[in-house]
Amino acid sequence: MKELLDQYLSIRKRLKAYEYALYLISWDSETEAPSGCFDYRGEQIGVLVEESYKIETSKEYVHLIDELYKNRQELESDLRHEIQEVKKHIDKTKKIPMNQYIAFQVLLSKSPAIWADAKNKNDFSLFKPTLKEIIAFLRDYIHYLETDDCIGYNILLDEYEPGMTIEDYDQFFGELKTRLVPFVKQVLAKAKNQTNPLSQFSFPVNEQKKFCTYLQDVLGFNRTYGLMKESEHPFTSGSGSTDVRFTNHYYEDNVVSAIFSAIHEMGHGLYEQQCDPKYNGTFNQGGASLALHESQSRFYENVVGRSYEFWMKHYPQLQQQFPKQLEHLSLNDFYQAINQVKVSYIRTDADELTYSLHIMLRYDLEKAIFVEGLSIDELESKWNALFYEYFGLEVPSVKQGVLQDIHWAGGMFGYFPTYALGSAYSAQIFHHMKKDLSFKEVMASGNTKPINEWLKTKIHRYAASKYPKEIIREAIGEDFNVKYYVDYLINKYSHLYGISDYEN
Amino acid sequence: MKELLDQYLSIRKRLKAYEYALYLISWDSETEAPSGCFDYRGEQIGVLVEESYKIETSKEYVHLIDELYKNRQELESDLRHEIQEVKKHIDKTKKIPMNQYIAFQVLLSKSPAIWADAKNKNDFSLFKPTLKEIIAFLRDYIHYLETDDCIGYNILLDEYEPGMTIEDYDQFFGELKTRLVPFVKQVLAKAKNQTNPLSQFSFPVNEQKKFCTYLQDVLGFNRTYGLMKESEHPFTSGSGSTDVRFTNHYYEDNVVSAIFSAIHEMGHGLYEQQCDPKYNGTFNQGGASLALHESQSRFYENVVGRSYEFWMKHYPQLQQQFPKQLEHLSLNDFYQAINQVKVSYIRTDADELTYSLHIMLRYDLEKAIFVEGLSIDELESKWNALFYEYFGLEVPSVKQGVLQDIHWAGGMFGYFPTYALGSAYSAQIFHHMKKDLSFKEVMASGNTKPINEWLKTKIHRYAASKYPKEIIREAIGEDFNVKYYVDYLINKYSHLYGISDYEN
């Protein structure tokens, strides 16, 4: 056993080094690499992926994992979890015919460009054939991977959020449909004709950056182990707790965008930085799942960042950074402005209240495709019908409808629901956190340290050494429950929109 | 043969991918990586180096190269050159006992920190034991690699500049000693008590950056295949002609520093960008040698960048960027200011005229160590004596003397002379270029395109597919001759300092 383990650790070390090189190349690609370097870069990536793949599929490694898996009861729990996951990954890889897998990867390397072109030309028909091919592969993929325990669309759901099934999501979105959709309609009626006092000003980019640097200190993002940079679409990346990087974007006419993108990404970043460093260099490194990651980013962005209490402390600082623009805007007006609800056709522009309805729509469609056999030819009209059902508006173009997201072009079906689940997790976590901490007091202190510490102890430090459902259960003493999320939203937005008698 | 070649190309592809990953990690390290990530990073680098080393020392590869080398007459010239160089590299590697080599690498991984500490404390004795160890290894190294054709210090010199020997450098520096040293003394006497009109102003960093961006267009640095970033010490890096990156630094009180660092680094960058793309992904990729690279950077920095003709066209633009500072400074005064001569104890602060004397001093000392057996205990006093001989001044501290450069702490003996050789090459190249181009007319056109084109055709496009001495000979029709360099300097600085009757 000792010998097997040593062999495993030595191969793992090699695999992690490739992962590391590819992480850094990808970070460079998305932030600064000159556009002309990508052909050559593509070849180098190809070689590195292949070198790593050769190790991962070597007889030696596969055999090793089999042996360790058989004897997993002898392993301490971290390693046991890791071996289970590696075994799962290898078994999956083995089930897919290699030629078909490679053909799919080739398809995926081209499909985003085809999607972008179709979106650009506002013409869904240009993307349809590609989307059909992607779905055809995924149907086969599901077929290859089906087991007694897990079939159909569940295969895809489990891939992005371990342990989540159609049944779970149906219950989750069912609750949103019943309680949230009618409430949103009521808020939207009240929100009609609202104007945004922030939209009349220009906010110089340099000053926005300074404020985002200030926010790093407020949130305790550790610059010794991380950095902030720029890119078109904000994202967080890194390798282990000692190297965590996020990007932000800045628009002169929209200071709110940079502020909340920064806080959102720092939520992801804090999760990574607060993982126990013992997991660096292992396959338990990083966050436990997409939804759990999103729960942290949404927690900081919405629960913390869009709270009145947060801005009581930090709005004066923002005013100081932008004296001309904000001197006459009261804290209360600012708070209202950053929590304004309005229908957006575009998911990424959506406010906190309506965001998860955009996700629900996508979940409904994915389920329709993989469970009910919806044809791609019907996808556009189905999208538009659902949008009308949830938001009461006609979708004006495919650009603002079925073609808006890149995910499906990347083959990512089953991914979207994790966004909404993450938001819902954050409300439930908040509910339980408040038993230990006074949110008001923490916010008044000027930084989020006690919150960070709470999340670190209960969630972050475990990294990916346990399944997300396990971590949640141990952290808050109960399983996931959507109720907290809907309660939180209805409570917050009834106050904001003066719907005091709302029945829920 | 066909089969051997295919095998070679396939292994080369793998080796280049590791080189690529390591290039990008190093670029990240030197420009933005958070300080806390280096422990983990070090381990990953170790693995990648080892993976690559395993391929390079595999029986299969060594045998392959042997076979190809035996049949090299059947190869086309590019590939023949490449195989010769690879063979040379492998043979060298084989001659060094592995344990000793690894011990040396470990020593070198620690020595820069020991050097930095000693420099910081201004105490040479703290670094002496390490330096003695480094030199002891290099003496063994020389011993292992000696052949009938190449012995002693020549082994090190050849390593950094193929084909250069003590005899060559003695002749080169001998000429500087005879003709340049007395001239420099005369200029320094005239330059005493000069003040610099630029030092009274402050130049905002953002405006400096804008001007450096303007300079990219003037010099034709292609941003599709490259980028400019910031770091403490400016440098150029990259991988092939499609990914060339350089850094710059900015000091509010010294606009000249950023301007000439940018031009210098773009000289390196243009060389890389103008290599024939067919060499990308081969071992002929990149510049032919350190001295040839330095000849390009010095050419753009000094011959082009510090010329009166260059600033006739671009000084108005600089004035426009800094109207308050430069409005009353004439072109002539600016030209004088950027060409001021004064003794600096520090090599990297030296002006164009005195720079190579700093190098000569280092060459003299390295030769004393490896040829005459100078003890490290005598190094400091010998440094100071030579400095007095060349510049007529007492060295005030080891920080400003023997401890100033990092090179020796990095084991790099034999490297320094390439800096001076590069400068000298640039003057000789200029002499011959002027037969084909009117420098005045090119400069009046506002960009350096015709010069770039000339250098591309004569030098750049060959990348490292030939030896530097060959490239020079074919480019200008003669071998290296130091005369041009001394003539150029004496001519330029006699005019600048009104030493019209100087005999040379």
Side-chain angles (χ1 to χ4, degrees):
Chain A
M1 197 68 176
K2 166 90 177 64
E3 201 182 312
L4 288 177
L5 257 183
D6 285 346
Q7 280 176 43
Y8 171 68
L9 297 182
S10 137
I11 297 183
R12 183 178 74 183
K13 202 173 162 190
R14 292 170 66 204
L15 290 171
K16 292 297 287 189
Y18 291 101
E19 183 188 294
Y20 187 81
L22 292 166
Y23 139 62
L24 210 63
I25 293 174
S26 138
W27 167 256
D28 182 78
S29 294
E30 300 195 50
T31 59
E32 69 178 44
S35 62
C37 83
F38 283 90
D39 282 348
Y40 187 68
R41 163 164 300 196
E43 289 174 38
Q44 313 314 310
I45 292 173
V47 174
L48 295 169
V49 167
E50 199 184 325
E51 295 280 289
S52 169
Y53 180 82
K54 273 192 274 180
I55 300 172
E56 227 179 4
T57 54
S58 68
K59 273 189 190 163
E60 181 199 2
Y61 186 61
V62 172
H63 175 72
L64 196 57
I65 297 299
D66 278 341
E67 289 302 307
L68 285 168
Y69 185 75
K70 272 184 220 156
N71 300 296
R72 65 188 179 281
Q73 294 317 326
E74 294 173 41
L75 299 171
E76 51 86 19
S77 63
D78 283 346
L79 213 45
R80 186 162 60 239
H81 181 83
E82 186 172 338
I83 294 294
Q84 270 169 223
E85 287 300 282
V86 172
K87 167 86 173 143
K88 197 170 153 187
H89 176 72
I90 290 180
D91 287 349
K92 204 183 265 180
T93 311
K94 278 196 293 192
K95 285 181 185 170
I96 324 272
M98 198 37 54
N99 289 345
Q100 208 177 340
Y101 182 74
I102 291 172
F104 187 54
Q105 294 307 317
V106 171
L107 177 64
L108 292 187
S109 73
K110 295 171 188 164
S111 51
I114 299 168
W115 162 79
D117 181 56
K119 183 178 172 183
N120 208 22
K121 294 180 176 143
N122 205 16
D123 182 353
F124 187 42
S125 72
L126 296 174
F127 181 53
K128 255 191 212 173
T130 308
L131 187 57
K132 283 179 183 175
E133 275 189 79
I134 290 172
I135 283 164
F137 172 84
L138 289 174
R139 288 196 204 281
D140 286 348
Y141 181 80
I142 288 170
H143 176 70
Y144 295 133
L145 298 184
E146 274 178 338
T147 63
D148 293 347
D149 303 332
C150 190
I151 59 163
Y153 183 43
N154 280 339
I155 299 277
L156 303 182
L157 291 175
D158 184 76
E159 196 131 293
Y160 292 102
E161 190 62 25
M164 286 300 288
T165 62
I166 298 177
E167 202 184 334
D168 296 324
Y169 281 123
D170 275 354
Q171 200 191 336
F172 172 49
F173 288 114
E175 194 76 3
L176 299 194
K177 229 164 271 183
T178 320
R179 293 181 59 205
L180 207 56
V181 171
F183 177 72
V184 165
K185 285 197 175 137
Q186 213 174 328
V187 172
L188 285 175
K190 284 236 176 192
K192 230 182 199 173
N193 307 323
Q194 258 186 321
T195 56
N196 192 322
L198 290 168
S199 62
Q200 59 187 302
F201 300 112
S202 172
F203 298 85
V205 166
N206 261 343
E207 302 303 305
Q208 292 194 40
K209 285 185 189 171
K210 277 183 207 158
F211 189 72
C212 288
T213 302
Y214 165 82
L215 286 174
Q216 288 179 50
D217 295 326
V218 171
L219 267 65
F221 180 83
N222 189 333
R223 281 190 284 262
T224 302
Y225 299 115
L227 62 88
M228 174 173 78
K229 205 174 168 182
E230 268 181 86
S231 72
E232 200 188 329
H233 300 287
F235 69 98
T236 302
S237 179
S239 180
S241 64
T242 59
D243 189 353
V244 180
R245 304 166 179 215
F246 71 95
T247 65
N248 202 359
H249 58 194
Y250 304 92
Y251 307 114
E252 295 240 324
D253 61 353
N254 188 350
V255 69
V256 169
S257 176
I259 289 174
F260 290 101
S261 288
I263 300 178
H264 178 97
E265 300 308 332
M266 276 193 272
H268 286 302
L270 284 166
Y271 190 176
E272 294 286 323
Q273 284 192 335
Q274 296 202 124
C275 288
D276 192 323
K278 75 178 173 184
Y279 296 118
N280 295 341
T282 77
F283 291 120
N284 288 333
Q285 180 180 305
S289 74
L290 289 173
L292 218 53
H293 237 302
E294 197 70 8
S295 76
Q296 304 306 294
S297 56
R298 294 283 168 190
F299 182 87
Y300 282 96
E301 178 192 349
N302 291 329
V303 177
V304 173
R306 292 189 205 267
S307 70
Y308 190 81
E309 292 86 347
F310 183 81
W311 291 105
M312 278 178 71
K313 192 72 191 177
H314 304 294
Y315 186 58
Q317 177 70 28
L318 188 67
Q319 284 181 306
Q320 210 174 304
Q321 202 79 57
F322 300 103
K324 279 182 206 156
Q325 295 89 333
L326 301 181
E327 123 182 90
H328 299 298
L329 189 73
S330 72
L331 168 60
N332 207 51
D333 288 346
F334 177 75
Y335 173 67
Q336 300 272 345
I338 61 174
N339 284 293
Q340 246 182 33
V341 177
K342 64 170 194 295
V343 176
S344 158
Y345 296 105
I346 306 293
R347 174 184 60 85
T348 53
D349 294 342
D351 53 75
E352 181 186 14
L353 179 65
T354 58
Y355 184 82
S356 57
L357 304 191
H358 290 265
I359 299 302
M360 183 165 72
L361 179 151
R362 285 152 180 80
Y363 171 73
D364 287 349
L365 293 172
E366 292 190 358
K367 216 178 76 175
I369 293 170
F370 288 101
V371 178
E372 297 141 28
L374 178 79
S375 149
I376 296 310
D377 293 318
E378 303 164 88
L379 192 62
E380 182 184 341
S381 60
K382 181 87 183 168
W383 176 294
N384 297 347
L386 282 174
F387 197 87
Y388 189 83
E389 187 183 332
Y390 300 154
F391 297 102
L393 283 175
E394 304 280 354
V395 174
S397 71
V398 284
K399 226 188 227 187
Q400 290 161 287
V402 68
L403 273 184
Q404 68 182 265
D405 298 306
I406 194 174
H407 299 61
W408 290 343
M412 290 182 278
F413 284 81
Y415 188 122
F416 279 122
T418 69
Y419 288 139
L421 184 61
S423 301
Y425 268 145
S426 75
Q428 189 170 3
I429 291 168
F430 186 45
H431 174 89
H432 291 280
M433 182 191 284
K434 280 189 292 189
K435 295 179 195 166
D436 299 327
L437 294 176
S438 154
F439 187 67
K440 256 192 192 154
E441 276 173 32
V442 171
M443 289 299 108
S445 79
N447 67 64
T448 62
K449 254 185 209 163
I451 288 180
N452 298 359
E453 205 49 49
W454 194 96
L455 289 169
K456 178 182 175 179
T457 310
K458 303 270 186 182
I459 296 174
H460 298 175
R461 65 182 170 116
Y462 298 110
S465 70
K466 299 176 180 200
Y467 293 108
K469 284 187 167 184
E470 256 179 285
I471 293 176
I472 281 292
R473 195 180 306 127
E474 289 173 21
I476 61 177
E478 62 171 355
D479 284 331
F480 172 65
N481 188 339
V482 60
K483 178 185 167 298
Y484 298 99
Y485 180 46
V486 183
D487 286 353
Y488 161 84
L489 288 175
I490 290 180
N491 181 44
K492 175 169 177 179
Y493 289 88
S494 336
H495 278 97
L496 271 159
Y497 282 88
I499 312 179
S500 51
D501 58 343
Y502 193 78
E503 297 289 336
N504 69 82
Chain B
M1 196 69 176
K2 167 87 177 66
E3 202 183 313
L4 287 176
L5 258 184
D6 284 348
Q7 281 176 42
Y8 171 68
L9 297 182
S10 139
I11 297 184
R12 183 178 75 183
K13 201 175 163 191
R14 292 170 65 203
L15 290 171
K16 292 298 286 190
Y18 291 102
E19 184 189 294
Y20 187 81
L22 291 165
Y23 139 62
L24 211 63
I25 294 174
S26 138
W27 167 257
D28 183 78
S29 294
E30 301 195 51
T31 59
E32 71 178 42
S35 63
C37 84
F38 283 91
D39 282 348
Y40 188 69
R41 162 162 301 196
E43 288 173 38
Q44 312 315 309
I45 292 174
V47 174
L48 294 169
V49 167
E50 200 184 326
E51 295 279 290
S52 169
Y53 180 81
K54 272 192 275 181
I55 299 172
E56 228 180 4
T57 54
S58 68
K59 273 189 189 162
E60 182 199 1
Y61 186 61
V62 171
H63 175 72
L64 196 58
I65 298 299
D66 277 342
E67 289 302 305
L68 285 168
Y69 185 75
K70 271 185 220 155
N71 299 296
R72 65 188 179 281
Q73 293 317 324
E74 293 174 42
L75 299 171
E76 51 85 17
S77 64
D78 282 346
L79 212 47
R80 185 162 61 239
H81 180 82
E82 186 172 338
I83 293 294
Q84 269 168 223
E85 286 300 282
V86 172
K87 165 87 173 142
K88 197 171 154 186
H89 177 71
I90 290 180
D91 287 348
K92 206 184 261 180
T93 311
K94 280 197 294 194
K95 285 182 184 168
I96 324 270
M98 198 36 55
N99 289 344
Q100 208 178 339
Y101 182 75
I102 291 173
F104 187 55
Q105 294 307 319
V106 171
L107 178 64
L108 292 186
S109 74
K110 296 170 187 163
S111 51
I114 300 168
W115 162 78
D117 182 54
K119 183 178 172 183
N120 209 23
K121 293 180 176 145
N122 206 15
D123 182 353
F124 188 41
S125 72
L126 296 175
F127 181 54
K128 256 190 211 173
T130 308
L131 188 57
K132 283 179 182 174
E133 276 188 77
I134 290 173
I135 284 164
F137 173 84
L138 288 175
R139 286 194 206 284
D140 286 349
Y141 181 80
I142 287 170
H143 176 70
Y144 295 132
L145 297 184
E146 275 177 337
T147 62
D148 294 344
D149 302 332
C150 189
I151 60 163
Y153 182 44
N154 280 339
I155 300 277
L156 303 181
L157 292 174
D158 184 77
E159 196 131 294
Y160 292 101
E161 190 64 23
M164 286 301 287
T165 63
I166 298 177
E167 203 185 333
D168 295 325
Y169 281 122
D170 275 354
Q171 199 190 339
F172 172 49
F173 288 114
E175 194 78 2
L176 299 194
K177 228 163 270 182
T178 320
R179 292 181 60 205
L180 206 58
V181 171
F183 177 71
V184 165
K185 287 198 173 134
Q186 213 174 329
V187 173
L188 286 174
K190 284 233 173 192
K192 229 181 199 172
N193 306 323
Q194 258 186 321
T195 56
N196 192 322
L198 290 168
S199 62
Q200 59 187 301
F201 301 111
S202 171
F203 297 85
V205 166
N206 261 343
E207 303 303 306
Q208 291 194 39
K209 285 184 189 170
K210 278 183 207 158
F211 189 72
C212 289
T213 303
Y214 165 81
L215 286 175
Q216 288 179 50
D217 294 326
V218 171
L219 267 66
F221 180 82
N222 189 334
R223 281 191 284 262
T224 303
Y225 299 116
L227 62 87
M228 175 173 78
K229 206 174 169 183
E230 268 183 83
S231 72
E232 200 189 328
H233 300 286
F235 69 98
T236 302
S237 180
S239 181
S241 63
T242 59
D243 188 353
V244 180
R245 304 167 179 214
F246 72 95
T247 66
N248 202 1
H249 58 194
Y250 303 92
Y251 306 115
E252 295 241 323
D253 62 352
N254 188 351
V255 69
V256 168
S257 176
I259 289 174
F260 290 100
S261 289
I263 300 178
H264 178 97
E265 299 308 332
M266 277 193 271
H268 285 302
L270 284 166
Y271 189 176
E272 294 286 323
Q273 285 192 333
Q274 297 203 123
C275 287
D276 191 324
K278 74 177 173 185
Y279 296 118
N280 295 341
T282 77
F283 290 120
N284 287 333
Q285 180 180 304
S289 75
L290 289 173
L292 218 53
H293 237 302
E294 196 71 7
S295 76
Q296 303 308 294
S297 56
R298 293 284 168 189
F299 182 86
Y300 283 95
E301 177 191 350
N302 292 328
V303 176
V304 172
R306 291 190 205 267
S307 70
Y308 190 80
E309 292 85 347
F310 183 81
W311 291 104
M312 278 179 71
K313 192 72 192 177
H314 304 294
Y315 187 57
Q317 177 71 28
L318 188 67
Q319 284 180 307
Q320 210 173 303
Q321 202 80 55
F322 300 103
K324 279 183 205 154
Q325 295 90 333
L326 300 181
E327 146 180 67
H328 299 298
L329 189 72
S330 71
L331 167 60
N332 205 52
D333 287 346
F334 177 76
Y335 174 66
Q336 299 272 346
I338 60 173
N339 283 293
Q340 247 184 32
V341 177
K342 66 171 192 295
V343 176
S344 158
Y345 295 106
I346 306 294
R347 176 184 60 86
T348 53
D349 295 341
D351 53 74
E352 181 187 15
L353 179 65
T354 58
Y355 184 82
S356 58
L357 304 191
H358 289 265
I359 299 303
M360 183 164 73
L361 179 153
R362 285 153 180 79
Y363 171 72
D364 288 349
L365 292 173
E366 292 189 358
K367 216 177 78 175
I369 293 170
F370 288 101
V371 178
E372 296 141 28
L374 178 79
S375 149
I376 297 309
D377 293 318
E378 302 163 88
L379 192 61
E380 182 186 341
S381 60
K382 181 86 183 170
W383 176 295
N384 297 347
L386 282 175
F387 197 86
Y388 189 83
E389 188 182 332
Y390 299 153
F391 296 102
L393 283 175
E394 303 280 354
V395 174
S397 73
V398 283
K399 227 187 228 187
Q400 292 162 285
V402 68
L403 273 183
Q404 68 183 265
D405 298 307
I406 196 176
H407 299 62
W408 290 342
M412 290 183 278
F413 284 81
Y415 188 122
F416 279 123
T418 69
Y419 287 139
L421 183 61
S423 302
Y425 268 145
S426 75
Q428 189 170 4
I429 291 168
F430 186 45
H431 174 90
H432 290 280
M433 182 191 283
K434 281 189 291 189
K435 295 179 194 164
D436 299 327
L437 294 176
S438 154
F439 187 68
K440 256 193 192 156
E441 275 174 32
V442 171
M443 289 300 108
S445 80
N447 68 62
T448 62
K449 255 186 209 163
I451 288 179
N452 298 359
E453 205 49 50
W454 194 95
L455 289 168
K456 179 181 176 179
T457 309
K458 302 270 188 181
I459 296 174
H460 298 175
R461 65 182 170 118
Y462 297 110
S465 70
K466 299 176 180 199
Y467 292 108
K469 283 187 168 185
E470 255 179 286
I471 293 176
I472 281 293
R473 196 179 305 127
E474 289 173 22
I476 62 177
E478 62 171 357
D479 284 331
F480 172 66
N481 187 338
V482 60
K483 178 185 168 297
Y484 298 99
Y485 180 46
V486 183
D487 286 353
Y488 161 83
L489 289 175
I490 290 180
N491 181 45
K492 175 170 177 179
Y493 287 89
S494 340
H495 278 96
L496 271 159
Y497 282 89
I499 313 178
S500 52
D501 59 342
Y502 192 77
E503 298 288 337
N504 69 82

